[in-house]
Amino acid sequence: MIAVAGFNTAIDRFIHLDALNPGEVNRVRAERVYPGGKGLHVAQTIAALDERVQLVGLVDAQHRSLIGQRMSERGVQFHGVEIAGELRHCLALQDAAGKITEILGQGPLLAQSECDALLRDLRRSIHESDLVILSGSLPRGFAPTVYAELVQYAKNLGKRCLVDASGDAMRHAVGVKPFTIKPNRDEISELYGRAIDRLGSAADAARALHADGIALPVVSMGALGAVCADDDGVWHGVVELAHSRNSVGSGDCLLAGMAVGLKRGLSHEETLRLGVACGAANAMHEETGYVRRADVDALLPQVRLEQLGR
Ligand SMILES: Nc1ncnc2c1ncn2[C@@H]1O[C@H](COP(=O)(O)OP(=O)(O)OP(=O)(O)O)[C@@H](O)[C@H]1O
Ligand SMILES: [Mg+2]
């Protein structure tokens, strides 16, 4: 079993426009609504790979049945903590050229009792699981040290923890050395305070994070693929897509694939291969943060793995 903390559940609205013109009236051509949030993406992708997974996150009265039903159809055990307020809303606006503009809602401000309920459910899930994933932003109301405390909690129980976050929550978590962190280009640049936008500098950053005590850091670089570092050195994995439709959520799917690889005891490079295939499989379709098993299976042998020196 894999436990996922995806506290900040969102309602994602994907909107097609001819063009996005700021300051003008923009008419919607088509729209779809999906349950979202990074942890939810991770959990549903793990389930698509046929691993058992439980997700702890927020729901509100209006969306409880939509989210509960979707998670159950997709094979995720969902523990939804219902809040008095409204869930976060996120918009993705895609123009005719395929360019996507994201508008991410602030989300609810939680009462202490709501924070406590999420933490109680997550601790229970951690006890029942072999691997723990902390994914996405913390809802307002949580201290930024909460992920760090949860990493320590999981470590004390001998469980590996994978963290995908940004800002202060990530910085604190890095301090207690999770097994894996998965910064993207922007997040790794934020962590190091300088631009990391090439494979070489991403590899150096992964190497440095490993030397600093993070067993298997992964830095994701969009279409350039991802690098991970372990005791044997740095691996780069990449797969080229003929056509990318929506790569938002690819980082979540990469992390899901890596978690499944670790759970199955694959080598680190084969774990990276599965992650990279999942990240690319997500980009093949409009829906954010989900993969089809058949796409992942087809991409796996196409992933190019290369060791980038010691
Ligand atoms: N266009 C693409 N073609 C091939 N692979 C891709 C593409 N986009 C993403 N990937 C794969 O998915 C991985 C994760 O993507 P990315 O670095 O964009 O994550 P991210 O910025 O964290 O995304 P998000 O936070 O929206 O989930 C990449 O390292 C790469 O392996
Ligand atoms: Mg990301």
Side-chain angles (χ1 to χ4, degrees):
M1 177 71 85
I2 299 175
V4 180
F7 292 162
N8 221 352
T9 314
I11 300 301
D12 286 347
R13 199 169 287 271
F14 199 96
I15 291 179
H16 292 269
L17 306 163
D18 287 336
L20 177 61
N21 296 310
E24 292 182 23
V25 172
N26 294 271
R27 290 199 190 280
V28 171
R29 289 284 162 230
E31 68 179 291
R32 288 196 192 81
V33 176
Y34 303 99
K38 304 185 81 59
L40 185 144
H41 298 155
V42 174
Q44 65 185 5
T45 301
I46 290 172
L49 300 175
D50 289 327
E51 278 299 329
R52 290 169 64 222
V53 60
Q54 43 185 325
L55 168 69
V56 177
L58 296 175
V59 282
D60 58 14
Q62 196 191 340
H63 299 100
R64 181 177 268 287
S65 68
L66 170 79
I67 297 170
Q69 206 176 324
R70 178 63 60 86
M71 290 301 95
S72 116
E73 282 162 15
R74 292 191 164 174
V76 175
Q77 281 181 38
F78 179 54
H79 305 283
V81 170
E82 190 165 318
I83 47 168
E86 246 189 83
L87 289 182
R88 193 161 61 104
H89 283 258
C90 299
L91 287 179
L93 309 170
Q94 188 170 44
D95 66 17
K99 192 169 166 192
I100 296 176
T101 304
E102 284 189 279
I103 299 176
L104 307 180
Q106 222 183 2
L109 172 61
L110 301 190
Q112 187 60 49
S113 59
E114 294 169 332
C115 294
D116 291 345
L118 283 168
L119 292 174
R120 197 170 48 239
D121 281 5
L122 183 69
R123 288 198 194 102
R124 191 183 312 124
S125 294
I126 291 176
H127 279 272
E128 294 168 5
S129 302
D130 317 293
L131 215 62
V132 184
I133 301 176
L134 309 176
S135 170
S137 57
L138 285 165
R140 293 183 299 144
F142 275 113
T145 48
V146 162
Y147 277 166
E149 288 156 18
L150 288 169
V151 171
Q152 197 56 58
Y153 185 83
K155 275 180 124 174
N156 292 346
L157 294 169
K159 316 223 169 175
R160 288 174 291 181
C161 207
L162 292 72
V163 181
D164 182 10
S166 58
D168 287 342
M170 180 70 138
R171 207 176 301 281
H172 287 295
V174 166
V176 290
K177 322 289 183 207
F179 188 83
T180 289
I181 61 170
K182 193 227 70 71
N184 65 12
R185 219 183 302 231
D186 295 340
E187 291 149 358
I188 193 73
S189 301
E190 187 186 13
L191 264 182
Y192 279 96
R194 63 186 163 84
I196 293 174
D197 49 9
R198 289 161 194 269
L199 275 185
S201 49
D204 290 343
R207 210 177 267 116
L209 287 166
H210 176 71
D212 207 27
I214 295 170
L216 186 66
V218 189
V219 180
S220 74
M221 302 290 287
L224 295 179
V227 293
C228 71
D230 67 7
D231 287 343
D232 295 329
V234 178
W235 285 92
H236 171 228
V238 66
V239 60
E240 268 158 48
L241 285 181
H243 184 56
S244 159
R245 284 185 67 185
N246 175 17
S247 66
V248 179
S250 282
D252 306 334
C253 295
L254 168 77
L255 190 64
M258 301 245 355
V260 169
L262 291 171
K263 170 77 176 56
R264 293 181 181 161
L266 301 185
S267 65
H268 289 163
E269 62 268 30
E270 290 304 317
T271 295
L272 181 67
R273 181 194 297 279
L274 183 55
V276 164
C278 288
N282 169 68
M284 291 169 63
H285 298 281
E286 178 196 280
E287 186 179 350
T288 295
Y290 191 51
V291 299
R292 291 156 173 80
R293 178 70 191 267
D295 292 333
V296 176
D297 289 344
L299 288 168
L300 276 172
Q302 299 174 40
V303 176
R304 282 188 286 122
L305 285 176
E306 187 193 3
Q307 203 161 17
L308 296 182
R310 284 159 188 254

